[in-house]
Amino acid sequence: MKTKIKGFGTLAIHAGNLENETFGALATPIYQSSTFYFDSCETGGRRFAGEENGFIYTRLGNPTTSVLERKVAALENADDAVAFGSGMGAITACLWSIAALGKHIVADEALYGCTFAFLNHGITRYGVSVTFVDTSDLQAVRQALRPNTCCLYIETPANPNLKIEDIEELSKLVHSYNKDIMFVVDNTFATPCLTRPLDLGADVVVHSATKYLNGHGDVIAGFVCGRQDFINEVRMFGLKDMTGAVLDPFAAFLILRGLKTLELRVQRHCENAMQIAEFLDGHRKVAKVYFPGLKSHPGHEIAAKQMHGGFGGIISFEVRGGKEAGMRFVNELKLITIAVSLGDAETLIEHPASMTHSTYSPEELNAAGISEGLVRLSVGLENAVDIIDDLDQALRRV
Ligand code: LCS
């Protein structure tokens, strides 16, 4: 790169791009090739031995995907990043790379349902123990740490109840207990546009890039970002040997395309969400709104400190009358689409207890502060006034 560039929007467009691309293509080409030929047997051997740079096989690396990995690493201020074929591929490869027989993980109670499932009844089958605590309570985290604890795992804002945890304080706490504990933050909801966990003391960032990073609802993908030695381990063990959850080069191309507008999109998601949260908060048919931008949110002050430029685009809320009223309201929506996933241009709504978080038992939902009647709104890029009109007409019908 010729000039030193720092702005987030500039990095999202320029960081990591190929220099001296063969034909001078402006957009990164799609290297849709599973394998790469060697000019001799010896060259192949040297590449496998790590003695020579160059591509081997797309599960181990691909030119299109490498551009994307460098770009996402730059956005997260990480040494390096590995791309995956899904967020769950990234999360499981990350945790397989950290944990081992006899080790212990501390995780927050409120997590995306499949992450919870992996920690609750997946990795525990293989001799790893997991303690779920409310990680916004530092005392509870301190009490959960053990000599064999290898990882602290959180999402902030958390899916689906937008709970906020203090990344800086948690980092100080776990690293003063044991500097080798890997503090992993799922940054899917905040995106590096709003929060950079590694700058606040986390060791690893994971993403479902299916959401805001791609932003167009047409790709399933994930990332692990962190220090070089750990990323090498995630690539050569977590990805290559344990999950094989490689990202397809065409999907990498789509995410590169999406990232060009990440900053613009996130700004709009945040502005829309703030207006909509205020509308819902003042509506007599709404019992409770969970949005970190509202002063009434218990994590508001921490969110204001660690999220820069907005509070994200996800709002959860409870309609007066509980689950039945909530379901009736959702079914009355016209513009807003009933679908899981989030971070897309379209405003999406879902019911966590029966959909994204149906991996939790009723008792586990209760312990995690996810009520039966909670609905989760992923605020899209439409005009806020139209989203509000739709919410209003549906609320009037309840
Ligand atoms: N982390 C978070 C915070 C997520 O919300 C999700 C997916 C994942 C990881 C897993 O990523 P994936 O493998 O799907 O790319 N969350 C979803 C949700 O809330 N609705 O549908 C999927």
Side-chain angles (χ1 to χ4, degrees):
M1 229 164 286
K2 291 173 217 90
T3 46
K4 196 167 175 228
I5 44 178
K6 287 207 185 92
F8 188 90
T10 313
L11 281 177
I13 294 166
H14 291 277
N17 289 352
L18 292 172
E19 290 177 33
N20 307 318
E21 198 282 315
T22 313
F23 300 104
L26 178 66
T28 304
I30 307 168
Y31 285 89
Q32 194 75 28
S33 183
S34 51
T35 197
F36 297 84
Y37 59 81
F38 312 128
D39 62 8
S40 70
C41 217
E42 289 75 13
T43 303
R46 282 195 299 277
R47 288 200 190 165
F48 269 89
E51 293 161 7
E52 178 184 301
N53 287 334
F55 294 98
I56 298 173
Y57 184 66
T58 282
R59 178 156 42 77
L60 314 180
N62 171 281
T64 311
T65 311
S66 292
V67 171
L68 175 63
E69 290 171 337
R70 287 198 295 272
K71 200 180 287 288
V72 171
L75 297 180
E76 285 290 0
N77 205 12
D79 289 350
D80 202 357
V82 193
F84 286 86
S86 70
M88 285 313 299
I91 291 163
T92 53
C94 172
L95 292 171
W96 287 130
S97 302
I98 293 172
L101 185 68
K103 294 289 186 184
H104 172 244
I105 296 173
V106 177
D108 194 80
E109 296 159 326
L111 297 170
Y112 168 56
C114 297
T115 306
F116 175 75
F118 178 70
L119 286 165
N120 190 44
H121 49 262
I123 200 166
T124 46
R125 284 195 194 181
Y126 303 92
V128 177
S129 55
V130 181
T131 306
F132 293 98
V133 295
D134 173 2
T135 60
S136 66
D137 176 352
L138 296 176
Q139 187 64 22
V141 176
R142 175 67 193 84
Q143 280 168 2
L145 296 173
R146 300 182 198 160
N148 61 339
T149 303
C150 63
C151 176
L152 171 68
Y153 190 96
I154 68 161
E155 293 174 1
T156 182
N159 188 355
N161 61 2
L162 290 307
K163 192 163 60 133
I164 299 291
E165 288 103 29
D166 191 324
I167 299 172
E168 215 165 359
E169 289 303 321
L170 282 169
S171 163
K172 282 188 207 151
L173 174 71
V174 294
H175 292 135
S176 67
Y177 179 84
N178 175 356
K179 67 176 177 34
D180 295 329
I181 292 177
M182 296 292 273
F183 179 20
V184 181
V185 178
D186 183 329
N187 203 26
T188 300
F189 273 38
T191 81
C193 235
L194 305 178
T195 305
R196 293 212 240 189
L198 301 179
D199 291 353
L200 299 172
D203 299 293
V204 183
V205 164
V206 293
H207 273 283
S208 168
T210 311
K211 313 290 154 42
Y212 293 102
L213 295 188
N214 178 56
H216 293 74
D218 47 15
V219 158
I220 300 278
F223 289 97
V224 180
C225 314
R227 287 189 292 273
Q228 193 64 59
D229 56 345
F230 180 67
I231 293 304
N232 294 347
E233 175 75 3
V234 171
R235 188 185 300 283
M236 298 312 283
F237 178 71
L239 171 58
K240 178 172 79 65
D241 298 340
M242 295 301 284
T243 63
V246 68
L247 184 69
D248 183 76
F250 179 60
F253 166 85
L254 288 173
I255 302 168
L256 283 167
R257 180 181 160 121
L259 282 176
K260 293 184 190 191
T261 55
L262 176 65
E263 190 181 43
L264 281 173
R265 288 186 285 106
V266 169
Q267 280 167 2
R268 170 79 166 225
H269 283 296
C270 289
E271 285 163 18
N272 277 357
M274 193 69 225
Q275 279 188 55
I276 291 163
E278 279 167 358
F279 162 78
L280 290 169
D281 201 38
H283 202 290
R284 64 184 178 82
K285 298 252 179 102
V286 175
K288 190 165 178 190
V289 181
Y290 302 74
F291 182 66
L294 294 176
K295 292 206 170 64
S296 56
H297 187 285
H300 175 71
E301 272 180 35
I302 296 165
K305 181 185 76 168
Q306 79 186 9
M307 300 178 81
H308 304 286
F311 296 93
I314 312 296
I315 304 168
S316 288
F317 58 101
E318 290 158 18
V319 176
R320 268 189 217 288
K323 182 182 163 189
E324 264 180 48
M327 299 278 217
R328 223 174 322 131
F329 154 74
V330 170
N331 287 333
E332 290 292 346
L333 290 163
K334 305 234 166 2
L335 176 73
I336 299 170
T337 308
I338 307 172
V340 298
S341 204
L342 54 103
D344 294 331
E346 296 81 1
T347 297
L348 306 178
I349 198 158
E350 66 114 8
H351 176 238
S354 67
M355 298 176 189
T356 50
H357 291 71
S358 54
T359 50
Y360 281 71
S361 68
E363 297 73 34
E364 288 162 345
L365 282 175
N366 193 35
I370 304 166
S371 74
E372 269 261 285
L374 194 76
V375 290
R376 189 193 73 189
L377 186 71
S378 168
V379 176
L381 301 176
E382 302 95 338
N383 298 100
V385 63
D386 295 321
I387 304 169
I388 290 174
D389 276 355
D390 195 27
L391 292 167
D392 195 37
Q393 67 78 20
L395 282 168
R396 270 190 273 118
R397 286 184 156 77
V398 175

